Amino acid sequence: MNDKIAVYPGSFDPITNGHVNLIERALQIFDKLIVAVAYNPSKTALFSVEERLEMIRIALKNDPRMTVASFNGLLVEFVASQGANVIIRGLRALSDFEYEFQMTLMNRKLNRKVDTMFLMTGYKWFYTSSKIIKEAASLGGSVRGLVPEIVHQRLKDKLPAYRNVP
Ligand code: PNS
């Protein structure tokens, strides 16, 4: 039987423990998961795509069931090019809902063979987002425990106010 493959796309700027939790959940359902970092020229990022890919690889300790990749252009085209037909997205609070539905319906219009599956992060991570992590860290607030250790370290290199956070 063919392996069940899913793609988990996102900005991952940077990867958080909420993302890690979702990846672990997805790997209980799928044989193979492709974590896909989007090149998004309209979003100003803290980390380069290459830095994000490296942090994901380190955080996930090279699990053989998982591939880490980047993509340009349409997500559905990337998904099809990987021989997959499922997109995984995380849902946290209600505020995610509208944006996620818009994206799902657009992706469905673009390729009817691709479906989006929503997974809920562990409730511990319900209010964790890359955006809020960056905001707290840029002001010197510790985000240790909310992000993988490698992210905590790399934030020190990026953000002067974070340099001395233990
Ligand atoms: O982590 P994010 O920023 O919420 O992820 C958004 C992402 C990367 C999944 C989304 O922007 C995306 O799919 N980008 C690729 C471009 C695309 O396919 N757009 C059309 C579908 S809305």
Side-chain angles (χ1 to χ4, degrees):
M1 227 172 69
N2 287 343
D3 276 355
K4 283 189 283 175
I5 308 171
V7 174
Y8 179 31
S11 302
F12 300 103
D13 182 41
I15 186 166
T16 68
N17 283 349
H19 294 128
V20 173
N21 183 266
L22 217 84
I23 290 166
E24 286 164 356
R25 285 169 196 277
L27 281 171
Q28 286 178 13
I29 304 169
F30 292 90
D31 302 310
K32 198 179 156 203
L33 186 70
I34 302 164
V35 179
V37 179
Y39 274 98
N40 190 347
S42 64
K43 252 189 178 176
T44 324
L46 179 63
F47 292 97
S48 71
V49 168
E50 288 66 31
E51 289 170 330
R52 286 180 251 164
L53 291 169
E54 195 202 359
M55 286 188 286
I56 297 171
R57 288 199 183 98
I58 294 172
L60 295 161
K61 300 176 187 79
N62 293 320
D63 187 317
R65 296 169 300 162
M66 207 201 64
T67 312
V68 184
S70 59
F71 73 99
N72 250 314
L74 284 179
L75 171 61
V76 285
E77 284 180 4
F78 175 76
V79 171
S81 77
Q82 301 300 304
N85 61 358
V86 178
I87 296 168
I88 299 287
R89 291 288 289 174
L91 273 184
R92 290 164 305 190
L94 211 61
S95 51
D96 285 344
F97 220 68
E98 198 167 320
Y99 170 58
E100 294 298 333
F101 267 49
Q102 275 179 359
M103 263 199 324
T104 299
L105 291 173
M106 178 54 77
N107 284 332
R108 186 175 292 167
K109 187 206 173 300
L110 296 171
N111 185 338
R112 296 202 68 79
K113 290 189 185 141
V114 173
D115 251 309
T116 301
M117 188 185 263
F118 293 101
L119 294 180
M120 241 173 85
T121 51
Y123 84 100
K124 237 171 119 180
W125 316 117
F126 226 64
Y127 294 102
T128 306
S129 71
S130 300
K131 187 168 173 245
I132 211 81
I133 293 288
K134 285 182 282 189
E135 186 171 329
S138 70
L139 297 169
S142 177
V143 295
R144 201 165 209 169
L146 298 177
V147 293
E149 188 58 25
I150 181 68
V151 174
H152 171 69
Q153 295 305 334
R154 294 288 159 87
L155 282 168
K156 289 173 185 274
D157 302 333
K158 285 280 172 193
L159 303 169
Y162 205 69
R163 200 145 296 153
N164 296 319
V165 174

